[in-house]
């Protein structure tokens, strides 16, 4: 038992003993004891009610100098001081978090599991039109009405990132990213990417203009070179030099051609004129054309093509995917290699065009970069075979426009597999 409790017990016993002696002396023992008991009870109730008042934020506690009540009050004062310190620390921390989130240039919203806004920073006001005080407690999808935002919030996207029109400044574009944030909450970050898009468009327009300007002069130069090569007056040495000039000029023309194709793909936003394409026929035609050129007569090409599976898309673009993947498989594998070409529906229902070879393969570190412009895993072989370094970039773009993706796998020394996957909705039979 604590000392204060023992003291209090001894005090009560002493009071009762004194009251008993006084009562016995004046021959009024029951009355004196009863009155003493009532006085002790009133004293306890008075302290209890003062304590309650004090705890409820009211009057000061009575100035109990000693005893059980003094101990209770001082214990509670200590507790209060400690909790006040903790509260101040928490407030400081909250202020620090709020100041640092307000310093962020990007809008940040904290959402609960029902997409209700728990808090937002200052940037959210001018980027999304969401005010921390006014809109806290509202559902974000009620304030920002965009179908893509719903797919993002419902976790329906492979990557939790979308782009949407700014709800505040017409013509501006925002990139929104959703990340987990504590138990059940999520953080929605919004960044204004209008300037990035503008810069990208300027760069694309510049590349497209330069390519367009180079296209005609290069065609003329190539035409004249071909005529010169037919001229019997040139010596063998001169003819050899002309052939080298012609090869380089042809390469430049191929690059310009591919850059123009990429520029066209980038500037054409949607596939409004999709039509069913007989993919099996298109693939077979490309195989026959490439093998018929005589350059790959020692390659073995095995085709397994689903004749009934058609694809909704733009034929010229689909043809460039087929050509680039097939041509690469033939160019990057030595004579005698086997190339398997497949056009089929995968168990998932997605139509797929697969080209696999048993050539030298590609080292793992190159795989993530192969679709970047001008990236070459084997620069020597690419130039020697007339590569532009743009083929797989074109393939990636076309597939994106057709709701698909390119998957590349390879084992060095064993071969490579390029899988062009289209979306289920594009398949028709
Ligand atoms: P390029 O015009 O150089 O062929 P691509 O974009 O078509 O450009 O291909 C990028 C690079 O990928 C090539 O330079 C080559 O190194 C590599 N590559 C593509 N296909 C194959 C393949 N079937 N086997 C080995 N390497 C390949």
């Amino acid at each position: 038992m604590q000392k204060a409790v023992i003291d209090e017990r001894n005090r009560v016993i002493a009071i009762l003993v004194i009251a008993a002696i006084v009562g016995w002396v004046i021959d009024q023992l029951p009355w004196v004891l009863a009155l003493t008991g009532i006085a002790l009870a009133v004293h306890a109730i008075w302290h209890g009610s003062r304590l309650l008042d004090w705890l409820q934020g009211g009057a000061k506690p009575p100035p109990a100098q000693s005893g059980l009540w003094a101990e209770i009050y001082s214990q509670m004062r200590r507790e209060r001081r400690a909790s006040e310190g903790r509260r101040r620390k928490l407030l400081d921390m909250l202020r620090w978090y709020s100041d640092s989130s307000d310093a962020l240039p990007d809008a940040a919203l904290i959402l609960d599991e029902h997409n209700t806004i728990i808090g937002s920073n200052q940037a959210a006001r001018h980027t999304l039109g969401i005010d921390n005080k006014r809109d806290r407690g509202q559902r974000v999808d009620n304030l920002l009405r965009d179908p893509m935002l719903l797919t993002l919030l419902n976790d329906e996207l492979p990557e939790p990132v979308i782009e949407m029109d700014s709800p505040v400044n017409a013509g501006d574009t925002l990139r929104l990213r959703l990340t987990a944030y504590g138990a059940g909450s999520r953080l929605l970050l919004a960044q204004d990417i209008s300037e990035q898009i503008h810069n990208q468009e300027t760069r694309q327009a510049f590349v497209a203009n330069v390519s367009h300007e180079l296209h005609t002069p290069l065609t003329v130069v190539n035409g004249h070179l071909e005529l010169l090569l037919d001229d019997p007056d040139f010596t063998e040495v001169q003819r050899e030099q002309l052939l080298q000039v012609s090869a380089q000029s042809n390469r430049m023309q191929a690059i310009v051609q591919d850059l123009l194709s990429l520029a066209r793909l980038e500037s054409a936003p949607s596939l409004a004129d999709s039509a069913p394409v007989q993919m099996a026929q298109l693939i077979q035609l490309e195989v026959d054309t490439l093998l018929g050129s005589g350059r790959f007569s020692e390659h073995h090409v095995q085709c397994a093509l689903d004749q009934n599976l058609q694809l909704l898309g733009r034929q010229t673009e689909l043809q460039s995917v087929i050509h680039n993947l097939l041509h690469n498989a033939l160019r990057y594998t030595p004579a005698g290699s086997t190339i398997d070409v497949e056009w089929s529906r995968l168990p998932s229902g997605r139509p797929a065009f697969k080209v696999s070879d048993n050539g030298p393969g590609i080292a793992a570190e190159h795989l993530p970069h192969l679709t970047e412009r001008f990236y070459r895993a084997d620069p020597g072989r690419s130039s020697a075979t007339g590569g532009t370094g743009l083929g797989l970039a074109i393939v990636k773009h076309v597939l994106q426009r057709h709701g698909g993706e390119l998957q590349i796998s390879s084992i060095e020394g064993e071969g490579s597999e390029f899988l062009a996957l289209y979306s289920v909705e594009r398949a028709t039979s």
Side-chain angles (χ1 to χ4, degrees):
M1 212 186 290
Q2 287 201 13
K3 184 180 174 300
V5 179
I6 296 168
D7 287 352
E8 184 68 14
R9 187 195 60 190
N10 293 344
R11 202 165 64 89
V12 170
I13 292 172
I15 289 172
L16 287 173
V17 168
I18 291 168
I21 294 170
V22 172
W24 181 70
V25 170
I26 62 169
D27 201 18
Q28 293 290 336
L29 183 64
W31 281 107
V32 174
L33 276 181
L35 282 173
T36 310
I38 290 169
L40 285 172
V42 167
H43 180 254
I45 291 170
W46 179 75
H47 269 298
S49 81
R50 290 300 302 257
L51 179 63
L52 202 64
D53 274 359
W54 181 50
L55 288 178
Q56 286 170 347
K60 281 186 172 183
Q65 301 297 325
S66 61
L68 183 61
W69 287 106
E71 184 59 32
I72 290 173
Y73 293 137
S74 77
Q75 188 74 35
M76 300 219 59
R77 247 185 242 112
R78 273 199 297 275
E79 275 297 316
R80 276 203 153 188
R81 266 199 298 273
S83 83
E84 182 60 27
R86 279 198 298 271
R87 201 174 71 91
R88 219 171 293 130
K89 248 193 205 157
L90 260 168
L91 274 176
D92 284 351
M93 250 166 80
L94 273 175
R95 214 167 291 132
W96 184 82
Y97 274 120
S98 148
D99 287 352
S100 36
S101 78
D102 281 346
L104 286 176
D106 298 341
L109 304 179
I110 303 172
L111 309 176
D112 71 5
E113 66 270 31
H114 307 296
N115 299 323
T116 305
I117 301 170
I118 303 174
S120 61
N121 67 352
Q122 261 175 23
R125 196 163 348 121
H126 51 84
T127 310
L128 296 166
I130 289 178
D131 184 84
N132 189 29
K133 282 204 184 109
R134 187 192 60 209
D135 299 321
R136 207 184 300 156
Q138 301 252 34
R139 280 182 61 133
V140 67
D141 42 344
N142 285 342
L143 299 176
L144 304 174
R145 299 226 168 241
D146 189 296
M148 279 308 282
L149 179 66
L150 283 180
T151 58
L152 177 72
L153 294 171
N154 295 340
D155 292 324
E156 289 167 8
L157 299 170
E159 219 197 323
V161 182
I162 59 159
E163 284 179 14
M164 68 173 225
D165 293 338
S166 162
V168 180
N169 300 315
D172 283 0
T173 308
L174 305 179
R175 177 174 295 145
L176 271 67
R177 179 180 287 276
L178 194 63
T179 51
Y181 181 81
S185 321
R186 294 187 294 177
L187 187 66
L188 185 67
L189 293 167
Q191 183 190 18
D192 189 338
I193 53 161
S194 315
E195 205 174 311
Q196 278 177 38
I197 291 180
H198 175 71
N199 290 344
Q200 196 183 345
E201 280 170 359
T202 313
R203 185 177 55 82
Q204 283 169 1
F206 173 75
V207 174
N209 286 339
V210 171
S211 313
H212 191 73
E213 292 298 324
L214 286 174
H215 186 252
T216 314
L218 275 172
T219 313
V220 175
V221 170
N222 274 338
H224 283 293
L225 279 170
E226 266 171 38
L227 284 178
L228 284 174
L229 279 168
D230 288 339
D231 192 332
D233 295 339
F234 283 115
T235 64
E236 260 325 291
V237 176
Q238 286 171 326
R239 192 178 304 281
E240 193 53 44
Q241 288 167 341
L242 266 180
L243 271 171
Q244 279 177 21
V245 174
S246 170
Q248 292 306 322
S249 178
N250 276 326
R251 202 164 150 240
M252 272 167 74
Q253 199 176 14
I255 291 175
V256 164
Q257 196 61 48
D258 278 357
L259 280 173
L260 278 172
S261 301
L262 263 178
R264 266 194 291 273
L265 286 171
E266 282 167 345
S267 60
S270 69
L271 271 177
D273 56 344
S274 286
V277 176
Q278 298 276 1
M279 286 291 282
Q281 283 179 19
L282 209 59
I283 295 165
Q284 193 60 61
L285 190 72
E286 198 58 44
V287 170
D288 293 345
T289 310
L290 281 167
L291 292 183
S293 70
R295 285 193 295 150
F296 308 109
S297 49
E298 288 175 46
H299 280 81
H300 309 288
V301 179
Q302 301 174 158
C303 295
L305 311 176
D306 183 341
Q307 300 293 334
N308 298 320
L309 181 60
Q310 298 181 25
L311 192 73
L312 275 177
R314 194 172 284 169
Q315 179 155 334
T316 45
E317 293 182 17
L318 297 175
Q319 196 168 4
S320 81
V321 171
I322 299 168
H323 172 82
N324 277 308
L325 296 185
L326 269 175
H327 199 196
N328 278 354
L330 291 164
R331 285 190 299 139
Y332 292 108
T333 55
S337 303
T338 302
I339 292 156
D340 285 300
V341 182
E342 252 182 76
W343 167 244
S344 61
R345 213 190 249 269
L346 296 185
S348 62
R350 294 181 76 173
F353 172 58
K354 186 164 90 180
V355 180
S356 42
D357 63 61
N358 61 353
I362 306 162
E365 73 260 25
H366 296 301
L367 295 181
H369 305 288
L370 290 183
T371 54
E372 290 167 16
R373 288 158 194 235
F374 300 112
Y375 189 90
R376 292 160 171 114
D378 180 351
R381 184 144 185 92
S382 171
S383 325
T385 55
T388 61
L390 294 166
L392 293 180
I394 292 177
V395 170
K396 181 182 156 193
H397 256 84
V398 172
L399 290 174
Q400 272 173 358
R401 280 161 58 70
H402 286 78
E405 71 206 80
L406 179 67
Q407 292 181 357
I408 309 172
S409 51
S410 183
I411 300 175
E412 259 189 298
E414 290 188 21
S416 313
E417 183 184 290
F418 289 77
L419 186 67
L421 268 176
Y422 296 91
S423 64
V424 181
E425 301 79 46
R426 294 212 162 259
T428 57
S429 302

